[in-house]
Amino acid sequence: QVQLVESGGGLVQAGGSLRLSCVASGGTFSNYHMGWFRQAPGKERESVGHISRSDGSTYYADSVKGRFTISRDNAKNTVYLQMNKLKPEDTAVYYCAAVRVYGSSWNYWGQGTQVTVSS
């Protein structure tokens, strides 16, 4: 059973930056693809992007492409979400998730961390 704990959220002005971290425990981190998701009030949860367990290749939603970067440090069992040029519409609870096989349902989820971007 993998446990995921996010941190790094907070309040930032538009145009600013934040880096979220997600630390995994209880499993072999390098066996898992890792994803970041977000859910804004009154909206469906959406994918922000994900990073491969094998070659570190990444995918991003169009809404964050060029502004957000996902990376991982397998030695630290940690995945990061670097968010630059933040916009008020990026305000949401951000979650990390893990899955062993792309295309399967994301098996494990963190508790989320709030990101608020003021205009």
Side-chain angles (χ1 to χ4, degrees), residues 63-74:
S63 58
V64 306
K65 201 173 294 183
R67 300 187 298 122
F68 290 12
T69 302
I70 298 174
S71 61
R72 66 189 296 161
D73 185 338
N74 287 345

Side-chain angles (χ1 to χ4, degrees), residues 19-96:
R19 188 176 80 156
L20 306 184
S21 300
C22 172
V23 179
S25 61
T28 303
F29 182 69
S30 58
N31 285 347
Y32 292 87
H33 306 293
M34 300 299 298
W36 284 98
F37 296 78
R38 66 186 182 185
Q39 187 166 21
K43 294 189 175 181
E44 299 273 323
R45 185 172 60 197
E46 64 175 357
S47 172
V48 173
H50 50 77
I51 185 165
S52 167
R53 66 180 183 180
S54 54
D55 60 5
S57 57
T58 51
Y59 160 85
Y60 299 97
D62 287 343
S63 58
V64 306
K65 201 173 294 183
R67 300 187 298 122
F68 290 12
T69 302
I70 298 174
S71 61
R72 66 189 296 161
D73 185 338
N74 287 345
K76 295 183 178 180
N77 291 351
T78 303
V79 61
Y80 303 97
L81 177 64
Q82 177 67 44
M83 305 185 292
N84 299 327
K85 300 179 182 178
L86 283 160
K87 305 175 181 180
E89 51 263 44
D90 294 319
T91 295
V93 178
Y94 283 71
Y95 301 90
C96 67

Side-chain angles (χ1 to χ4, degrees), residues 102-114:
Y102 274 144
S104 304
S105 297
W106 291 85
N107 307 95
Y108 305 103
W109 293 84
Q111 82 290 348
T113 185
Q114 176 71 48

